[in-house]
Amino acid sequence: MAQCRICGNVYSEFIDFGMMPIANGFLVPEMFNKEFFYPLKVGFCDKCTMVQLIEQPDRDMMFHDNYAYFSSTSARMMTHFRSFAESVMGMLGMEDPFVVELGSNDGIMLQNFSAAGIRHLGVEPSANVAQSAREKGIETTCCFFDQELAEKILKERGSANAIIAANLMCHVPYLHSIVEGVRRLLSPGGVMIFEDPYLGDIIDKTSYDQIYDEHVFFFSVSSIQYLFNMHGMEIIDVIPQDVHGGSMRYVISHKGNREVSPRVAILIKKEQSRGLNKRESFECFRRKVELSREKLLALLHKVRKEGKRVVGYGATSKSTTVNVYCGITPDLVEFISDTTPIKQSKYSPGAHIPVRPYGDFKARYPDYALLFAWNHASEIMAKERLFRKAGGKWIVYVPEVKVLE
Ligand code: SAH
Ligand code: TYD
């Protein structure tokens, strides 16, 4: 039993993944016996409909000066954030607008505002990725955003006409402080626009690997509506996105200041009809997750018995949940190929599978590539035509476990 971070109601878990390491905590062998683990369990609050982790490690264990996630490793995401930025620019009617981004990482989104000469500020607590943004000329403050920081920005720079965030809101357990900070910092006619992986897609695709330490919340339109209503704000539009396995973009304003799109009520109704407000749906999800684990393990054992080589593709944070929950070891997956320098020559959290540069994948194609970065499938498949031509096969597990022929 735990207390809901949004409405204070007491709620209980529906799935228990066991003990998990820090999902982005790639490590060297000297650290193996000091590795930190915590219990990964998820619950559903039937009062405000928020799905959330029961327990989350301390934020300083996840976001620091050695953070392994650099947003700009995907060309598709660069294009996505350019178009996100363009749509925000289209909403900024006034002269000399000010845009604040929360969780701006290496500047993947703000570089577009910077190039357009728009006043901006990135808020990014992980010092190494914040530094990478600064090197691109993006103004970045290396802090955790909360109500206190919002007051400071307001005092020093004035109110923001747009506050934007991608894959940030779902990371923050102190969401009330964030939303209250947004309410204070946002100008009266301003908008907040943010997107995160969508609960509906996670349930539909059994993408349980979206569940790991950093993702403390799994949002639906109804839970976001509940949260912002508590702070005198409202959703004025919702726009589904096809990135990160299915995301939802929420447009928020101060209550009564802008017209509300009929899409909001339509999506909330759809969520009710598909059972996102009912505990049974999550119990059913749990059974599908257990089945997915069985199938993936059976498949990996089968191909290894046949003497085939399997290499992981993309050392995603999501893959930490899959590897540890399924018990995938280096006997099953020889190494994981990843283009991020900071992850290379280290080992995956918990499962301790070596992470190697992409060149190692290309130099000697395996028989099977296990697609951990499935959310970038179209970008990767387009890039890896030669692998298939050479007889290589992809193993995927979202939405179901199979070999792509
Ligand atoms: N927006 C980027 C990065 C998402 S990862 C993208 O979509 O690719 C989440 C980022 O949020 C990390 O860079 C992390 O350091 C940062 N973060 C975590 N807590 C935060 C907080 N309270 N305020 C601002 N950023 C935060
Ligand atoms: P991503 O799925 O974006 O996020 P998360 O860590 O939140 O689950 O991570 C993609 C990872 O895959 C990242 O480490 C970079 C790597 N990658 C490649 O190695 N090659 C590629 O072609 C792409 C697109 C990503």
Side-chain angles (χ1 to χ4, degrees), residues 5 59 144-146 171-179 217:
R5 295 172 180 88
R59 67 184 190 183
F144 286 95
F145 184 84
D146 58 10
H171 287 62
V172 186
Y174 42 96
L175 258 192
H176 283 301
S177 173
I178 297 268
V179 175
F217 292 115

Side-chain angles (χ1 to χ4, degrees), residues 138-150:
I138 296 154
E139 260 204 79
T140 307
T141 177
C142 188
C143 293
F144 286 95
F145 184 84
D146 58 10
Q147 193 180 347
E148 200 184 323
L149 189 76

Side-chain angles (χ1 to χ4, degrees), residues 63 67 69 71 81 101 103 105 123-126 143-145 166-168 171-172 174 178:
F63 310 116
Y67 186 52
Y69 186 68
S71 302
F81 285 123
E101 185 184 5
N105 199 274
V123 182
E124 175 48 64
S126 299
C143 293
F144 286 95
F145 184 84
N167 308 299
L168 168 277
H171 287 62
V172 186
Y174 42 96
I178 297 268

Side-chain angles (χ1 to χ4, degrees), residues 22 36 55-64 144 173 213:
I22 298 293
F36 170 84
E55 216 176 284
Q56 190 192 30
D58 204 50
R59 67 184 190 183
D60 300 315
M61 298 191 71
M62 300 182 285
F63 310 116
H64 40 64
F144 286 95
D213 54 2

Side-chain angles (χ1 to χ4, degrees), residues 15 17 40 202 205-212 218 285 288-290 292-293 296 318 321-323 325-326 374 397-398:
I15 190 162
F17 289 98
L40 179 63
I202 297 173
K205 297 174 186 156
T206 320
S207 46
Y208 68 91
D209 57 348
Q210 291 285 8
I211 301 169
Y212 58 91
F218 305 90
F285 170 76
K288 286 190 184 162
V289 172
E290 288 162 357
S292 172
R293 168 170 65 176
L296 182 59
K318 293 185 288 293
T321 297
V322 177
N323 286 326
Y325 173 66
C326 297
W374 58 269
Y397 49 84
V398 174

